[in-house]
Amino acid sequence: SFPPIAAHRRALRGESSSYELQWGGRTFQSYVEPLRGLDRQIIGVVGIATDITDRKYAEEERERLVAALETQHARLNAIVESIPAGIVVAEAPGGRVAFSNSHVAEVLRQPLFDVPDVKASAQWTAHQPDGRRLTAEEYPLARGLRGETVRNAEYIYHRGDGTRGWIKGNAGASTEL
């Protein structure tokens, strides 16, 4: 049952095989092949062992970091979903929406459509309190992407269910995201 002996026995029967072995604090990946003579008869075994200790360590570290990142991501999602407001995160500088919570659809009374850039915001219909329609560049999201901090911008939004409602928007840019 010792992997090197079992692999060599398989090779002597004509089967190629591989195994990992820990030896002297290092990890080795070994490949064993049957060695054939000119008449194609098995005359021995040939193998190669590669020290993969650093690769194994890197893979384990990567798995640990991915697990930690998934935990942080789940924690952030839980926090963002618990906030009773619509939250949209867009990538700078273009404005592609990377993330939104479920409250956005509740506020807009429609799902948030694919937003590849700031110009796509023109699909929304909203007006300033004086009745003037907002351009795509005037939405808080676009203003935040330009580096502006927007606080309590109010406008009338034409929601997906045909109703109109006041919406208050805030935005800001972050180099941390």
Side-chain angles (χ1 to χ4, degrees):
S1 65
F2 186 54
I5 293 173
H8 283 77
R9 286 185 176 155
R10 281 193 300 276
L12 288 170
R13 290 191 309 265
E15 300 174 37
S16 300
S17 63
S18 66
Y19 60 93
E20 282 186 18
L21 177 69
Q22 299 223 340
W23 185 285
R26 307 294 294 176
T27 303
F28 297 90
Q29 175 70 55
S30 298
Y31 298 93
V32 182
E33 299 277 339
L35 180 62
R36 298 181 186 272
L38 294 176
D39 61 356
R40 304 292 300 147
Q41 293 296 316
I42 298 172
I43 60 171
V45 173
V46 64
I48 186 167
T50 305
D51 186 341
I52 60 168
T53 306
D54 293 338
R55 184 184 86 203
K56 292 292 278 186
Y57 173 78
E59 288 171 356
E60 291 167 2
E61 181 66 7
R62 180 186 176 281
E63 289 174 13
R64 186 190 68 75
L65 291 171
V66 166
L69 182 61
E70 288 171 349
T71 299
Q72 291 295 337
H73 186 259
R75 187 174 293 141
L76 177 61
N77 279 343
I79 292 168
V80 169
E81 282 298 326
S82 72
I83 297 170
I87 297 175
V88 176
V89 176
E91 295 175 350
R96 184 185 78 79
V97 170
F99 173 82
S100 65
N101 69 358
S102 61
H103 297 292
V104 173
E106 292 174 21
V107 171
L108 302 180
R109 297 192 184 160
Q110 67 188 43
L112 185 64
F113 57 83
D114 184 37
V115 183
D117 55 33
V118 169
K119 293 176 187 166
S121 300
Q123 297 178 47
W124 294 321
T125 303
H127 292 86
Q128 296 283 2
D130 65 7
R132 187 179 55 78
R133 184 173 177 170
L134 265 70
T135 66
E137 292 78 25
E138 292 177 304
Y139 280 94
L141 181 67
R143 293 169 55 194
L145 286 166
R146 289 193 305 267
E148 186 178 339
T149 299
V150 180
R151 300 266 189 249
N152 300 318
E154 292 185 346
Y155 51 93
I156 302 167
Y157 181 77
H158 299 257
R159 296 183 284 223
D161 65 358
T163 63
R164 294 180 185 185
W166 284 95
I167 292 182
K168 189 179 289 190
N170 299 295
S174 172
T175 57
E176 302 298 318
L177 297 176

